[in-house]
């Protein structure tokens, strides 16, 4: 029985490693939260940038979607901000985002006045000169974030940090909770899980048949 268990674990380990690899790659996306807001609102958005390579991320360019209007940004130590048309760039004046780390950038934008989905295209620059374009559709290797803009109810036009006096702690906590709840799982995770389980099942059946013979 111990011999059988060892064979199963030997075959299962590579499948498990593959699953973990797919899950890590699929979840390490540049994202913009929240995933839902209301028409006309001055929304405080959170741009989350993980560094996936062995070198640091030194610049992130974000394209403001058509219909939305960039308003303000929160200063981030170690980063300069430039605004050119609909492009907002965070440029490191220090070491940037090192491998295995992530950085959050906060900004306020006025949402479109009509309901619908808006896409946030982001471009991640690494210290080695490489570029990752987070501008693909959902389900691709480098998808952009989507915010669903829904019709505002009465008095809901100024949600999440619309006050000129800055963001309160309650608003900040609400934003962070919204970001955590809106984190989506890439379909590649489920595909990898299915492949791993199928491989494990086939390996187990083959071992059992071999013992019977």
């Amino acid at each position: 029985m111990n011999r059988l268990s060892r064979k199963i674990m030997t075959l299962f380990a590579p499948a498990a490693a593959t699953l973990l690899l797919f899950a890590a790659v699929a979840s390490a996306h540049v994202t913009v939260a929240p995933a839902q807001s209301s028409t006309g609102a001055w929304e405080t958005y959170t741009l989350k940038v993980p560094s996936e390579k062995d070198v640091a991320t030194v610049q992130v360019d974000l394209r403001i979607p058509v219909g939305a209007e960039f308003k303000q940004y929160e200063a981030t130590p170690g980063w300069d901000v430039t605004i050119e048309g609909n492009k907002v760039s965070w440029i490191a004046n220090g070491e940037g985002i090192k491998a295995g780390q992530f950085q959050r950038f906060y900004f306020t934008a006025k949402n479109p006045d009509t309901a619908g989905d808006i896409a946030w295209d982001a471009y991640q620059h690494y210290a080695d000169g490489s570029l990752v374009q987070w501008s693909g559709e959902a389900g691709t290797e480098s998808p952009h974030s989507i915010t669903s803009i829904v019709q505002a109810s009465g008095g809901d036009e100024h949600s999440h940090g619309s006050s000129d006096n800055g963001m309160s702690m309650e608003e900040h906590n609400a934003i962070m909770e919204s970001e955590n709840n809106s984190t989506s799982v890439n379909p590649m995770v489920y595909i990898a899980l299915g492949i791993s389980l199928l491989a494990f099942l086939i390996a187990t059946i083959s071992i059992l048949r071999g013992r019977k013979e």
Side-chain angles (χ1 to χ4, degrees):
M1 183 63 183
N2 290 335
R3 185 179 179 184
L4 175 61
S5 299
R6 285 196 299 269
K7 286 185 177 181
I8 292 176
M9 289 304 298
T10 299
L11 291 171
F12 178 70
T18 301
L19 173 60
L20 292 175
L21 176 62
F22 270 93
V25 172
S27 61
H29 292 339
V30 170
T31 58
V32 177
Q36 180 175 302
S37 188
S38 55
T39 54
W42 284 49
E43 181 70 73
T44 298
Y45 286 98
T46 303
L47 171 63
K48 183 177 180 182
V49 183
S51 209
E52 303 176 44
K53 297 188 176 183
D54 293 333
V55 294
T57 294
V58 295
Q59 180 174 334
V60 182
D61 303 325
L62 182 69
R63 295 285 182 176
I64 305 302
V66 175
E69 184 180 352
F70 183 84
K71 292 295 185 180
Q72 300 170 326
Y73 67 91
E74 181 178 281
T76 304
W79 294 83
D80 298 322
V81 177
T82 63
I83 304 170
E84 300 178 8
N86 72 331
K87 183 178 76 170
V88 183
S89 299
W90 284 263
I91 305 169
N93 54 38
E95 296 180 334
I97 309 170
K98 297 180 180 179
Q101 298 180 350
F102 68 86
Q103 177 70 54
R104 289 189 178 100
F105 303 100
Y106 300 99
F107 67 94
T108 299
K110 182 180 181 295
N111 290 336
D113 294 325
T114 57
D117 291 342
I118 56 175
W120 304 91
D121 290 339
Y123 303 86
Q124 184 175 12
H125 301 261
Y126 285 91
D128 62 359
S130 61
L131 170 66
V132 178
Q133 302 184 46
W134 299 97
S135 57
E137 299 298 326
T140 61
E141 292 184 359
S142 53
H144 50 207
S145 280
I146 298 291
T147 297
S148 180
I149 305 299
V150 299
Q151 189 62 45
S153 57
D156 193 34
E157 290 81 5
H158 294 284
S159 64
H160 295 295
S162 60
S163 171
D164 292 335
N165 296 324
M167 189 186 346
S168 68
M169 181 58 68
E170 290 78 8
E171 288 173 324
H172 181 271
N173 291 338
I175 292 169
M176 297 305 296
E177 181 179 357
S178 174
E179 179 183 352
N180 292 333
N181 290 338
S182 66
T183 301
S184 59
V185 179
N186 191 284
M188 289 297 293
V189 174
Y190 299 110
I191 295 173
L193 177 60
I195 294 174
S196 298
L197 292 177
L198 179 60
F200 176 67
L201 180 60
I202 293 174
T204 302
I205 293 173
S206 298
I207 292 174
L208 293 177
R209 286 181 175 177
R211 286 179 59 86
K212 289 180 180 180
E213 293 175 355

